[in-house]
Every structure is written in structure tokens, then in C-alpha cells.
Amino acid sequence: MNNRVEIALNEQIKKETSSSQFYLAMASWAEKNGLNGTAKFMYSHSDEERFHMLKLVKFVNERGGKAIIPAIEQPPIEFENLKSVFELLLKHEISVTESINNLVDICLQEKDYTTHNFVQWYVSEQLEEEALARAVLDKIKLIGNDSGGLYLFDRDLESSIIQANNSNQMNDGK
Ligand code: OFO
């Protein structure tokens, strides 16, 4: 495997791992603060990021490179409020998109078209994740400080996760 591409892929493994831990910290904070819908959303988002990381690890190893499992910095323990949690989520996803774009760039410079093709999955995934984070944040901004509105927002988030899980299970034939 091309050396520059391997380094960039290992950087991305690090990024996905820290995303997973970051969202896990948000999930735990939300759970402790009675925001069960947000907690479910973040737990499932954290699992998705772990899946993104594993997909990279396997790809690097299968292509003859060496995947490095990184040490990760301690994510925050406390968050200011629900709005700041989703602001941080969006900011983080934007930085992940930048690093995916950088990876695409390196693949093209090194003429590694196989990895370039593999990375396209992440490009479209990022598009969806950023759009989702923006949509959720827009809702929170509309609600403002209305506690009844925030309660309903959290409950809606919970039912949207349950529906998404049910339809995934139906698609998997479970
Ligand atoms: Fe949401 O970051 Fe993975 O790709």
C-alpha cells in the first residue's frame, strides 16, 4: 500500500475512533440529564462511528498496510446544554468531512484509485451526517429555551431512533 495513503488512512482511523468516543461522552451526559432521546441518538451515532473505524482498519490490513489502533484523548465530561451538544456534533462532523476530503486528495495525488473508490462511501456518508446534524440543530434553535419544546424534541428524537431501528431490522429480515 502506498505510504502516504496508509498514513492518511491511519489518521482517519484515529478520527473515527475519537468521534465514537466523543459521541459516547455526549450520550452518557444526555442520559444522566434525563434526555433519553438524545442519549439513544448519540449511543447509536457512537456505534456508527465505531463501524466507520472498523471498516477502515479492515481495508488497510486487507490491502497490505498496517492499521494502527490509536490511543484517544479523554472526551469532555460536561456539556453546557443540548444546543451546545449539537453545535459540537456539527463542528466535529465538518472537521471529519475536511479530513475525508484530504484523504481523497492524497489518493488522487498518489494515483491510488482503489482507495479513492473505497473512500467514496465516506464522502456520501459525511454528506448525510452533516445534513442530519444541521437539521437537528435548526430545530433546537427554533425551540430556544422553551423547556416544553425541548422535552418534545427529545421525545421525538427517541421515537425517530426506534422507528429507524425497526425499519433496519425489517430490512435485515429480523
Ligand atoms: Fe461521522 O464521521 Fe465517520 O465518517
Side-chain angles (χ1 to χ4, degrees), residues 11 55 164:
E11 273 305 308
K55 202 171 155 79

Side-chain angles (χ1 to χ4, degrees), residues 12 16 19 23 45 49 52 93 96 100 122 125-126 129:
Q12 196 57 38
E16 304 290 345
S19 302
Y23 302 153
H45 208 0
E49 300 301 350
H52 298 171
E93 286 303 327
V96 173
I100 298 279
Y122 288 83
E125 184 70 14
Q126 279 313 112
E129 292 199 351

Side-chain angles (χ1 to χ4, degrees), residues 130-143:
E130 269 195 42
L132 177 65
R134 279 203 179 86
V136 174
L137 194 54
D138 284 347
K139 267 192 197 164
I140 295 178
K141 282 182 183 159
L142 273 177
I143 296 166

Side-chain angles (χ1 to χ4, degrees), residues 27-96:
S28 176
W29 173 86
E31 192 167 61
K32 285 298 286 174
N33 284 280
L35 297 160
N36 292 339
T38 306
K40 280 209 173 88
F41 178 89
M42 291 299 176
Y43 277 128
S44 120
H45 208 0
S46 168
D47 284 348
E48 270 181 41
E49 300 301 350
R50 183 177 151 75
F51 169 72
H52 298 171
M53 175 270 287
L54 285 174
K55 202 171 155 79
L56 283 159
V57 167
K58 289 185 179 148
F59 179 80
V60 172
N61 288 338
E62 275 163 14
R63 294 258 299 136
K66 189 174 189 171
I68 299 167
I69 307 303
I72 297 298
E73 267 178 46
Q74 161 88 59
I77 298 168
E78 286 302 331
F79 297 90
E80 210 180 310
N81 51 35
L82 198 56
K83 182 166 158 250
S84 83
V85 165
F86 281 95
E87 278 170 348
L88 286 169
L89 172 86
L90 177 59
K91 197 169 158 213
H92 191 77
E93 286 303 327
I94 291 172
S95 84
V96 173

